[in-house]
Amino acid sequence: MSILEVKNIQKSFGKERVLRDISLNVQQGEVLAVIGPSGSGKSTLLRCATLLEEIDFGYIAYGDLVMARSEGNNERAVYSAAPVLRQIRRRFGLVFQSFNLFPHFSVLRNITEAPVRVEGKSREEAEQQARALLDKVGLSEKADAYPCELSGGQQQRVAIARALAMQPDILFFDEPTSALDPELTGEILKVIRSLAQEKMTMVIVTHEMAFARDVSDRVIFMDDGVIVEQGDPQQVLENPQSERTRAFLSRFSHNG
């Protein structure tokens, strides 16, 4: 079952074309890793898929809900009405590089706020779910702490729990370890690996090559706004067919 379908999307900022005819499909339970150099369009692709940026042309749908579509080859994309977009927003979660927690809310309230206000859950039900999620990410003892009292790695784990609290069909990660010290990276990757084992559908933009190889079902390599190569992680990362992919991977050690 297709969770996300992207067809021929294009995006420009002024005269700079950032995404050039990108197409991809994400199936239920699949983990897709997106790699590539800085400026290749990876984060813009995620922002377009999560309604933080609007595409110029193309088609994006979540299951049976169409987000945006171009009626003709040269027609600008038209977005669906607000009620449809609200339904779509409930189908995905996004974990940012920089955590984006509410600093004046406790950890527990950071996680319960959206389920209570958006989903209409009772405070008791939302808190019960939040505590279970904190246990899942290894932070059950931090429910009453505030973001300023947590390490970067702990804040990112709270951000993951907050995204999971809305029970999304698909979870997007935009370089989830890039703002962390190297010694804190492992705890985030451990959480994401456990979600992959539970068959959570995920799209992960990452610079962690070994992690992409170990946790993903498919790897996409992007450069200059296009998908240069995609396929099985072992094939793309260990035996890339494109010279551009080989040049990019040569910057990393053999084991990632």
Side-chain angles (χ1 to χ4, degrees):
M1 174 181 161
S2 177
I3 297 293
L4 172 65
E5 187 175 9
V6 173
K7 292 181 182 176
N8 308 116
I9 67 169
Q10 299 180 39
K11 173 67 179 177
S12 297
F13 294 109
K15 294 182 179 179
E16 183 184 3
R17 291 184 67 194
V18 182
L19 299 178
R20 309 166 182 261
D21 203 32
I22 295 283
S23 296
L24 60 88
N25 215 297
V26 183
Q27 299 298 312
Q28 185 173 16
E30 182 180 26
V31 179
L32 175 66
V34 184
I35 64 171
S38 177
S40 60
K42 308 184 303 297
S43 291
T44 301
L45 173 61
L46 256 62
R47 291 179 65 83
C48 288
T50 56
L51 289 164
L52 295 175
E53 298 283 357
E54 290 192 356
I55 60 172
D56 298 326
F57 305 97
Y59 172 92
I60 302 177
Y62 282 83
D64 59 334
L65 297 179
V66 175
M67 178 192 292
R69 66 165 19 123
S70 295
E71 296 297 337
N73 289 337
N74 297 313
E75 296 287 333
R76 290 190 68 86
V78 176
Y79 277 73
S80 292
V84 175
L85 297 183
R86 279 197 294 271
Q87 290 184 66
I88 287 173
R89 282 191 174 92
R90 294 185 182 189
R91 293 195 176 185
F92 65 78
L94 176 60
V95 178
F96 298 89
Q97 297 181 28
S98 53
F99 325 137
N100 287 12
L101 299 177
F102 296 113
H104 55 297
F105 286 174
S106 68
V107 163
L108 193 66
R109 190 172 174 189
N110 262 284
I111 299 170
T112 59
E113 192 72 2
V116 169
R117 291 186 176 273
V118 178
E119 294 289 321
K121 287 186 176 181
S122 69
R123 181 69 63 179
E124 181 181 10
E125 181 185 6
E127 288 189 0
Q128 184 177 12
Q129 179 194 37
R131 291 183 188 280
L133 289 170
L134 284 173
D135 186 57
K136 178 191 285 282
V137 300
L139 291 173
S140 55
E141 78 285 0
K142 297 294 186 181
D144 297 323
Y146 284 81
C148 65
E149 300 172 312
L150 305 178
S151 70
Q154 289 171 332
Q155 289 185 60
Q156 190 63 295
R157 282 187 279 163
V158 173
I160 293 171
R162 181 178 62 179
L164 290 170
M166 295 298 287
Q167 299 178 308
D169 294 336
I170 183 171
L171 199 53
F172 294 92
F173 292 87
D174 187 9
E175 297 277 15
T177 61
S178 65
L180 302 177
D181 293 332
E183 62 267 25
L184 299 178
T185 295
E187 59 192 52
I188 303 304
L189 300 183
K190 180 180 177 181
V191 170
I192 298 174
R193 187 175 281 109
S194 71
L195 294 175
Q197 291 169 348
E198 295 171 10
K199 293 300 181 183
M200 180 75 202
T201 309
M202 294 184 282
V203 176
I204 308 168
V205 170
T206 183
H207 60 276
E208 301 282 348
M209 295 301 118
F211 177 70
R213 181 188 60 214
D214 294 343
V215 80
S216 64
D217 300 298
R218 185 159 49 100
V219 170
I220 282 177
F221 170 66
M222 289 182 64
D223 192 18
D224 196 26
V226 301
I227 294 176
V228 176
E229 187 167 354
Q230 64 177 304
D232 175 87
Q234 292 292 128
Q235 179 221 306
V236 174
L237 297 173
E238 301 290 347
N239 187 30
Q241 303 303 299
S242 166
E243 180 57 43
R244 289 163 79 181
T245 313
R246 286 196 292 271
F248 171 74
L249 292 173
S250 70
R251 305 175 195 174
F252 299 87
S253 64
H254 179 70
N255 63 3

